[in-house]
């Protein structure tokens, strides 16, 4: 799991270095407003938007984006993340915010928040 996380973090760093710091905005969870059991849905929120980052159209960078998207959905990561305990009569999703409800941030802050979440996951597995 840690190798996969490390790969995602490295690819995200490559993207961050060449990314167009555009005015595009993205819904971005922050680790401050996340319950531990909502890390899985936050990771999915980042993963679902990462291909929309404005980057140079160089093949290695496009490959990095695809790698981030594919690696961050692997079972080796997702299945190890805590999930919220269901309370009788409640839907699991109701405990975690939907992706579109997080505040919008620019692409640079989006990547920083994504990196912070990955670091938190990595540290929890050490």
């Amino acid at each position: 799991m840690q190798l996969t996380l490390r790969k995602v973090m490295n690819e995200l760093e490559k993207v961050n270095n060449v990314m167009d710091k555009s005015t595009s905005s993205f819904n971005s969870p922050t680790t401050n407003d996340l319950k531990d059991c909502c890390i899985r849905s936050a990771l999915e929120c980042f993963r679902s938007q990462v291909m929309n980052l404005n980057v140079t159209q160089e093949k290695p960078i496009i490959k990095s984006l695809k790698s981030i998207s594919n690696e961050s959905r692997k079972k080796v990561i997702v299945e190890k993340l805590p999930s919220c305990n269901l309370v009788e009569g409640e839907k699991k999703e109701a405990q975690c915010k939907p992706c579109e409800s997080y505040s919008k941030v620019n692409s640079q802050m989006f990547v920083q928040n994504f990196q912070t979440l990955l670091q938190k996951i990595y540290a929890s597995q050490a």
Side-chain angles (χ1 to χ4, degrees):
M1 175 181 184
Q2 288 184 320
L3 286 174
T4 306
L5 282 170
R6 177 64 48 207
K7 181 177 181 181
V8 173
M9 288 189 273
N10 289 339
E11 297 295 336
L12 194 56
E13 190 58 39
K14 287 183 205 171
V15 169
N16 193 33
N17 292 333
V18 296
M19 181 177 62
D20 177 9
K21 311 293 192 256
S22 67
T23 56
S24 297
S25 59
F26 300 88
N27 298 96
S28 179
T30 62
T31 53
N32 297 339
D33 59 9
L34 274 184
K35 292 190 252 177
D36 280 351
C37 68
C38 292
I39 289 175
R40 187 181 297 196
S41 67
L43 181 62
E44 177 56 26
C45 180
F46 283 114
R47 193 204 60 74
S48 69
Q49 299 177 89
V50 79
M51 292 300 293
N52 297 328
L53 288 170
N54 238 345
V55 294
T56 59
Q57 294 301 310
E58 297 171 29
K59 280 188 177 174
I61 299 305
I62 301 301
K63 188 176 174 190
S64 288
L65 286 177
K66 288 179 180 175
S67 177
I68 292 165
S69 181
N70 292 332
E71 297 292 324
S72 63
R73 83 166 65 142
K74 284 190 171 178
K75 283 184 180 182
V76 70
I77 293 176
V78 176
E79 287 184 352
K80 295 252 176 18
L81 297 176
S83 56
C84 297
N85 293 326
L86 288 176
V87 177
E88 189 75 30
E90 277 188 33
K91 288 185 180 176
K92 184 171 93 173
E93 298 82 35
Q95 294 181 15
C96 301
K97 290 180 173 182
C99 188
E100 53 281 350
S101 73
Y102 289 107
S103 56
K104 291 209 176 254
V105 297
N106 66 24
S107 54
Q108 194 168 12
M109 184 57 73
F110 173 82
V111 169
Q112 284 176 357
N113 289 343
F114 194 3
Q115 288 172 321
T116 301
L117 179 69
L118 292 170
Q119 288 163 354
K120 179 176 180 165
I121 295 168
Y122 188 84
S124 73
Q125 300 303 313

